[in-house]
């Protein structure tokens, strides 16, 4: 669907963050990268109309047009369309694959004037059979083909810490080997799943800038790619993070780029806007 009210509200929230960073003594790029859902990329428009689905390219154009021109606006729709004969979205799950996230990473890098790392520079890790969130909603699961999760391990001396709101942290791989795990767990291979705060450090790039990725679960498979452009990648799941406001966090850690990666279902959600507005302070 298309909700003008919630698109306006999401855009206004992005604009509020731009204003919140204006008083910092360095420039902060605010990147808005809304992620199309599978139906907008994998299903022809004539069938979308029969399913009463609003064209997501039009919705993305609208929400980006309502944002301040100081925002770095990333429209990844056409790049994903250009690759929609590839395995970009799972069949039994509502998420995209790491390959879909890679093409989004490419588009974000280009909008920021960065060189994206080539996909073949990452080590492929086949996690095997995956059964996702929509599998058991089907009437005849025996007729469904299971998915497969492919992860991409970034090169370099990379370490990650995961923190809960209590402040306690522990080390975890940025990409976990869950190939022997249960089929329903495989999407957890990316940054250990959804946590309040994760901090990924690429010790091989000590002089590179830093970024903060603000996301829900769609952002998880994108994080390993950004390690190739940043010394530190801070990752906040806005549904869980309660430690401080995001402007205070950005000031404390002197972050250069703040990247919002949210799927279109989240973009058009009043509940999501509530959480992100509270974190703006």
């Amino acid at each position: 669907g298309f909700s003008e009210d919630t698109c306006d509200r999401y855009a206004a929230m992005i604009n509020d963050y731009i204003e919140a960073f204006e008083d910092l003594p360095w420039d902060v790029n605010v990147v808005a990268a809304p992620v199309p859902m599978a139906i907008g990329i994998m299903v022809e428009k004539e069938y979308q109309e029969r399913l009463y689905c609003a064209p997501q390219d039009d919705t993305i154009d609208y929400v980006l047009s309502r944002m301040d021109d100081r925002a770095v606006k990333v429209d990844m729709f056409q790049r994903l369309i250009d690759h929609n004969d590839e395995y970009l979205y799972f069949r039994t799950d509502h998420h995209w694959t790491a390959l879909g996230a890679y093409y989004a990473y490419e588009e974000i890098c280009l909008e920021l004037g960065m060189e994206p790392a080539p996909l073949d520079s990452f080590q492929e890790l086949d996690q095997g059979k995956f059964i996702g969130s929509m599998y058991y909603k089907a009437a005849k699961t025996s007729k469904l083909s299971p998915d497969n999760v492919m992860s991409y391990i970034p090169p370099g001396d990379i370490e990650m810490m995961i923190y809960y709101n209590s402040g306690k942290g522990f080390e975890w791989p940025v990409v976990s080997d869950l190939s022997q795990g249960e089929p329903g767990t495989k999407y957890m291979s990316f940054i250990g799943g959804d946590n309040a705060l994760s901090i990924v450090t690429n010790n091989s790039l000590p002089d590179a800038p830093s970024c903060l990725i603000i996301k829900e679960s769609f952002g998880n498979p994108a994080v390993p790619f950004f390690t190739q452009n940043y010394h530190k990648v801070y990752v906040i799941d806005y549904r869980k993070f309660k430690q401080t406001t995001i402007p205070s966090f950005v000031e404390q850690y002197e972050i250069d780029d703040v990247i919002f990666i949210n799927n279109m279902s989240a973009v058009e959600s009043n509940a999501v806007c509530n959480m992100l507005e509270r974190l703006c302070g």
Side-chain angles (χ1 to χ4, degrees):
F2 168 66
S3 168
E4 183 175 330
D5 289 343
T6 48
C7 284
D8 285 345
R9 188 178 175 192
Y10 189 89
M13 176 273 299
I14 295 291
N15 295 341
D16 288 343
Y17 276 95
I18 293 171
E19 290 295 330
F21 301 141
E22 276 295 289
D23 293 334
L24 294 176
W26 68 93
D27 292 332
V28 177
N29 291 311
V30 176
V31 181
V35 179
M37 303 298 286
I39 191 170
I41 300 298
M42 307 305 294
V43 177
E44 293 89 339
K45 280 195 173 181
E46 62 182 285
Y47 293 107
Q48 292 182 41
E49 292 172 3
R50 292 167 60 180
L51 295 167
Y52 303 102
C53 179
Q56 288 191 32
D57 51 347
D58 293 343
T59 304
I60 291 170
D61 285 346
Y62 178 81
V63 71
L64 292 178
S65 74
R66 304 295 288 175
M67 294 177 188
D68 191 295
D69 287 340
R70 289 173 291 178
V72 179
K73 305 175 186 182
V74 180
D75 186 347
M76 64 185 76
F77 188 88
Q78 189 57 50
R79 183 176 290 268
L80 293 173
I81 285 287
D82 290 344
H83 292 274
N84 73 353
D85 59 341
E86 301 172 35
Y87 192 23
L88 303 185
Y89 292 87
F90 297 115
R91 295 180 298 273
T92 68
D93 191 78
H94 64 285
H95 293 104
W96 56 359
T97 66
L99 181 60
Y102 174 78
Y103 291 126
Y105 154 77
E106 276 191 322
E107 195 68 26
I108 292 168
C109 283
L110 293 174
E111 290 293 338
L112 285 169
M114 293 178 167
E115 184 71 28
L119 188 60
D120 61 10
S121 67
F122 296 81
Q123 178 188 343
E124 289 188 353
L125 175 57
D126 190 340
Q127 305 281 3
K129 178 182 176 182
F130 173 51
I131 294 174
S133 60
M134 298 189 293
Y135 182 82
Y136 292 105
K137 296 180 181 181
K140 296 183 179 180
T141 55
S142 62
K143 301 293 184 183
L144 299 180
S145 299
D147 280 295
N148 178 268
V149 171
M150 185 69 73
S151 302
Y152 296 90
I153 302 172
D157 179 10
I158 294 170
E159 56 189 13
M160 183 178 75
M161 294 291 294
I162 291 175
Y163 295 90
Y164 298 135
N165 286 303
S166 64
K168 294 182 179 179
F170 57 93
E171 193 168 358
W172 199 260
V174 69
V175 174
S176 304
D177 185 352
L178 298 182
S179 57
Q180 302 304 310
E182 292 298 317
T185 66
K186 304 301 177 69
Y187 197 76
M188 295 281 289
S189 65
F190 308 110
I191 66 168
D194 297 324
N195 296 288
L197 171 65
S198 304
I199 302 177
V200 189
T201 304
N202 187 342
N203 295 307
S204 302
L205 298 176
D207 299 322
S210 62
C211 75
L212 167 61
I213 295 176
I214 301 172
K215 59 84 188 177
E216 26 73 22
S217 51
F218 264 74
N220 295 0
V223 171
F225 301 122
F226 286 97
T227 63
Q228 301 307 288
N229 301 87
Y230 294 97
H231 172 53
K232 284 193 178 289
V233 180
Y234 300 89
V235 186
I236 283 177
D237 191 314
Y238 59 80
R239 302 166 299 178
K240 298 175 179 288
F241 185 78
K242 300 181 183 357
Q243 295 177 23
T244 184
T245 66
I246 286 173
S248 296
F249 188 91
V250 168
E251 182 174 15
Q252 179 180 353
Y253 293 100
E254 299 182 351
I255 291 167
D256 301 287
D257 298 333
V258 177
I259 305 171
F260 289 82
I261 302 179
N262 293 303
N263 72 76
M264 286 305 297
S265 184
V267 168
E268 295 191 84
S269 164
N270 278 311
V272 169
C273 289
N274 287 340
M275 288 183 276
L276 287 169
E277 288 166 358
R278 281 197 296 270
L279 287 172
C280 191

